[in-house]
Amino acid sequence: MVAVLAAGLVIGRYKADLLKTEVKVRLDDLWELVAALANSLIFLLVGLMAARFFTGPQAHYPAHLWTSIFWAIFAAITARGVMIFTVTPLINPFLQQGPIDRRYQTVSFWGGLRGAVALALALSLAADFPHRELLIAMTLGVALFTIIVGGLTASPLIRRFGLDTPEPLVRLEEAQARFLAQRAATQRLGELQVWQPFFPAAFIGSEKFWATRLEQASRDLLQTWKELKTPSDLTPQAVWQQALQMEKWGYQEAHDQDMLSKQTLDRLNFMLNLKIDAIRAGQMPPPALRSEALERPWEKWLFRRLEGLWSLNGGKQRHLNRVLQGHYEFDLAVAVIGKRVAEEIRQLSQKLTGHLNPAIFEGSAAWYAATSQDRFQHLKAQEEEHPELFRTIQQNVLRQAVQFSAREKLGKLLTDGIVSDTVVKKLAGGFESK
């Protein structure tokens, strides 16, 4: 198990550092399929063991076997209840997003399934292990009880507590995604109008159909925004979460276009997570964190310890240059994406004019605009202090962006079958970063 865990850590780190977003999505889909197959095999194993238990010689065990199974089930449920209903109240005061109420605690207590690991461990016991069959029977009893009784009654319990209705902010996210998808479909239909003379029957009623769906999605989105005001006004929090989502998309897009290194993207995402926690805790606006504040403590400690040694061969200056380049990428991304987010928030405010208070949107937009301006001024001051270094950094960023476009076009030509793989490999070498 430790070897499997280590392999997962290595693969996860490799995926996070080197793979593009679209490749990560495909890998995630693959692992979801593998996980579903593994779960199916586990439940198949439980079923086979249950059939063997109830139809084999074990079915004629004396009454104390059933008593042992009962006490095993009772012990498992009691232990879970003690852990949830005693530990959760202790950690509730420290949760920034609010305490976990009794409804969620009850569902967590009753909906806990048992069986996979425990049953595998029980079956791995040696054939001459004392009371092996009894241990397997007890483990199987706990697994069957939690799967059948707990699994079948968890859904009614969730509905009883009203937990099957998504939170308002989750409904807003769903409505927003539906609207964007419908708008993309409608725009694509407009682009395909050039084919209408050749396939006139295919376009009959299509424009009206998709226009109706887009209008319905727009109404649903507007209604969801209005519902945020009841019973408590969640509109400010929703606006900030929308802004943070736009900011995250911008950083990921810049990374996918080779304009941000993976290390800088990690720091930006870490900063975003801190902002999200602050917004959920009711701190609006969130703190504006600089790249220097996100440096790892162990990196500072190691640099101080090696500073004297590095000074002998110029390593100190190279390290400082790398640090400055990381700070430059970070501040440039915050400045550029922040300016774009401010514009998008104001556009969103215009779309909702007459339905929501514009001041809610303007507060967020003004904060992003001010943060962006502050970072631009900071960058200007840094450039005046290190003109040669920052000129080189800027040239590298520009060259990487242009090279990405060239490589992307070559990949599209290869995918479409317009050029051969040999030609692409020959030309791609001329667009590698120097």
Side-chain angles (χ1 to χ4, degrees):
M1 288 186 179
V2 176
V4 175
L5 175 61
L9 291 173
V10 172
I11 294 174
R13 184 60 181 172
Y14 171 82
K15 183 186 79 169
D17 284 344
L18 301 179
L19 300 183
K20 296 296 184 181
T21 303
E22 59 271 16
V23 180
K24 293 179 185 178
V25 171
R26 293 174 184 173
L27 278 179
D28 289 339
D29 292 339
L30 172 63
W31 285 114
E32 286 182 8
L33 175 60
V34 173
L37 292 175
N39 281 328
S40 300
L41 291 176
I42 290 172
F43 284 105
L44 178 61
L45 174 63
V46 173
L48 292 174
M49 289 300 302
R52 174 175 172 268
F53 176 77
F54 288 114
T55 60
Q58 296 84 346
H60 305 290
Y61 271 12
H64 73 81
L65 174 65
W66 301 100
T67 304
S68 300
I69 294 175
F70 169 79
W71 284 113
I73 295 173
F74 177 80
I77 294 177
T78 303
R80 185 172 180 84
V82 169
M83 287 297 297
I84 289 178
F85 293 116
T86 58
V87 175
T88 305
L90 294 177
I91 65 175
N92 270 341
F94 304 99
L95 299 178
Q96 293 184 345
Q97 301 177 20
I100 303 174
D101 62 33
R102 281 283 179 173
R103 299 176 303 160
Y104 290 97
Q105 295 179 34
T106 304
V107 171
S108 299
F109 157 69
W110 188 248
L113 303 183
R114 289 290 182 268
V117 177
L119 191 58
L121 291 174
L123 291 172
S124 66
L125 296 175
D128 57 349
F129 191 87
H131 308 294
R132 179 178 185 272
E133 294 298 326
L134 176 61
L135 291 173
I136 293 176
M138 293 170 62
T139 306
L140 180 61
V142 173
L144 288 176
F145 180 84
T146 56
I147 292 173
I148 297 175
V149 179
L152 294 179
T153 57
S155 182
L157 184 64
I158 292 173
R159 289 195 297 269
R160 175 68 179 81
F161 286 146
L163 300 178
D164 56 333
T165 303
E167 296 292 330
L169 295 176
V170 177
R171 294 202 302 272
L172 176 62
E173 182 180 357
E174 180 181 345
Q176 180 81 14
R178 185 184 302 111
F179 169 76
L180 293 175
Q182 294 294 344
R183 187 175 65 180
T186 304
Q187 292 174 347
R188 182 57 177 163
L189 180 63
E191 296 172 358
L192 293 174
Q193 289 293 330
V194 294
W195 294 95
Q196 186 170 6
F198 306 99
F199 309 106
F203 287 85
I204 297 177
S206 297
E207 186 174 352
K208 181 179 180 180
F209 172 78
W210 288 105
T212 302
R213 296 192 63 172
L214 177 60
E215 184 180 355
Q216 181 61 45
S218 178
R219 287 197 300 266
D220 292 343
L221 179 59
L222 177 59
Q223 181 61 31
T224 307
W225 274 103
K226 293 180 179 179
E227 291 174 358
L228 293 175
K229 301 183 71 65
T230 57
S232 58
D233 191 0
L234 296 175
T235 308
Q237 185 177 353
V239 171
W240 277 105
Q241 289 200 4
Q242 289 272 304
L244 291 174
Q245 190 64 46
M246 295 173 185
E247 189 178 356
K248 184 175 183 179
W249 288 342
Y251 295 148
Q252 187 63 55
E253 181 183 15
H255 171 260
D256 292 343
Q257 295 177 358
D258 285 349
M259 298 186 68
L260 280 181
S261 66
K262 184 62 177 64
Q263 290 76 13
T264 302
L265 179 65
D266 288 341
R267 287 191 177 185
L268 290 167
N269 285 332
F270 179 61
M271 176 193 67
L272 280 173
N273 290 335
L274 295 178
K275 286 183 180 180
I276 291 172
D277 290 340
I279 293 298
R280 290 174 177 173
Q283 183 181 351
M284 292 176 280
L289 300 173
R290 291 188 176 275
S291 177
E292 296 85 348
L294 302 177
E295 288 184 351
R296 299 177 180 89
W298 67 266
E299 290 179 339
K300 297 179 180 179
W301 178 87
L302 183 61
F303 175 70
R304 286 195 298 268
R305 295 298 181 273
L306 299 177
E307 186 174 3
L309 180 61
W310 283 355
S311 299
L312 299 177
N313 59 3
K316 178 180 178 181
Q317 187 58 47
R318 288 195 297 271
H319 174 76
L320 290 176
N321 288 346
R322 286 195 298 269
V323 171
L324 286 173
Q325 181 172 352
H327 292 336
Y328 179 86
E329 286 186 0
F330 185 97
D331 289 335
L332 181 62
V334 172
V336 175
I337 302 302
K339 182 179 180 181
R340 190 171 78 181
V341 171
E343 296 172 353
E344 292 177 350
I345 288 296
R346 289 192 172 105
Q347 291 174 5
L348 179 61
S349 175
Q350 293 174 0
K351 294 177 182 178
L352 297 174
T353 300
H355 303 285
L356 296 175
N357 185 4
I360 299 175
F361 297 88
E362 184 55 34
S364 175
W367 184 86
Y368 270 97
T371 302
S372 173
Q373 183 63 27
D374 175 72
R375 295 303 170 90
F376 276 125
Q377 292 176 354
H378 179 70
L379 286 172
K380 185 177 180 180
Q382 290 292 309
E383 290 174 11
E384 293 176 353
E385 186 176 353
H386 307 278
E388 295 297 331
L389 174 62
F390 279 83
R391 185 181 302 111
T392 302
I393 294 174
Q394 292 168 358
Q395 290 173 349
N396 288 338
V397 171
L398 182 61
R399 183 173 62 251
Q400 289 173 357
V402 174
Q403 289 172 344
F404 169 82
S405 299
R407 292 194 300 269
E408 187 179 41
K409 184 60 176 180
L410 286 177
K412 185 69 167 57
L413 293 173
L414 176 63
T415 303
D416 294 342
I418 298 175
V419 296
S420 66
D421 182 62
T422 304
V423 173
V424 170
K425 289 181 179 179
K426 180 179 179 181
L427 295 178
F431 298 108
E432 295 299 325
S433 299
K434 303 298 183 183

